Amino acid sequence: MSVDKDETHQRLKAAVHYTVGRICQKTGADYRREFSRQVIAAITEAAFRQCDVFAKDLEAFARHAKRSTVSTEDVKLIARRSTALSNYIQNKSEELNQEQRDLKKKNTGKRKSRDTEEESRE
């Protein structure tokens, strides 16, 4: 790895470690448990490696479909092994699609009212 990539990799890993630590702190407080540094480091490593696997799989799915961009369908394919994750991603995808449709309708409505307004001035 180049120096820049190595630095980015280390910063990303540190951010994941920090986030895992915070989640463990909150979960520990909720359930009156403590997590050792070794456990937090192990969870961090597992999460980081899993994200790396996901990233490589997503790239492969997009490449297989002859695309250079990862799509929501690729993410759904990644999640297919976990029913809960798959359902969550499916629901989020539907919510985002609905929001985009609503926004499109809203913008189309504004455009029509502006066009009508301009025609009435003429």
Side-chain angles (χ1 to χ4, degrees):
M1 261 194 259
S2 69
V3 175
D4 196 31
K5 277 188 176 181
D6 192 41
E7 183 181 328
T8 302
H9 184 265
Q10 289 302 319
R11 291 183 75 197
L12 185 56
K13 200 166 194 175
V16 171
H17 183 77
Y18 174 77
T19 303
V20 168
R22 298 290 294 186
I23 292 170
C24 287
Q25 255 183 347
K26 184 173 180 344
T27 303
D30 290 348
Y31 292 98
R32 297 185 184 144
R33 299 278 188 258
E34 287 188 26
F35 293 86
S36 70
R37 288 182 180 183
Q38 292 86 359
V39 168
I40 292 171
I43 294 170
T44 298
E45 189 62 32
F48 199 78
R49 286 184 183 183
Q50 188 62 52
C51 287
D52 191 46
V53 169
F54 283 167
K56 288 175 182 170
D57 285 350
L58 288 169
E59 287 175 348
F61 292 158
R63 201 174 321 111
H64 178 75
K66 296 179 178 34
R67 289 183 275 106
S68 59
T69 305
V70 172
S71 73
T72 54
E73 295 307 312
D74 299 327
V75 176
K76 289 175 188 175
L77 279 172
I78 286 286
R80 72 188 184 278
R81 292 185 192 131
S82 167
T83 305
L85 181 59
S86 183
N87 290 339
Y88 179 80
I89 289 174
Q90 183 66 37
N91 291 337
K92 279 295 176 188
S93 176
E94 289 170 6
E95 284 177 29
L96 290 171
N97 287 338
Q98 185 60 45
E99 287 174 12
Q100 286 178 341
R101 284 191 294 269
D102 292 346
L103 189 59
K104 214 176 219 182
K105 284 180 185 177
K106 187 177 180 182
N107 288 339
T108 303
K110 283 183 181 179
R111 226 176 289 129
K112 284 181 182 177
S113 66
R114 272 191 237 136
D115 292 344
T116 307
E117 213 174 272
E118 288 175 7
E119 288 173 3
S120 62
R121 284 188 214 158
E122 294 174 355

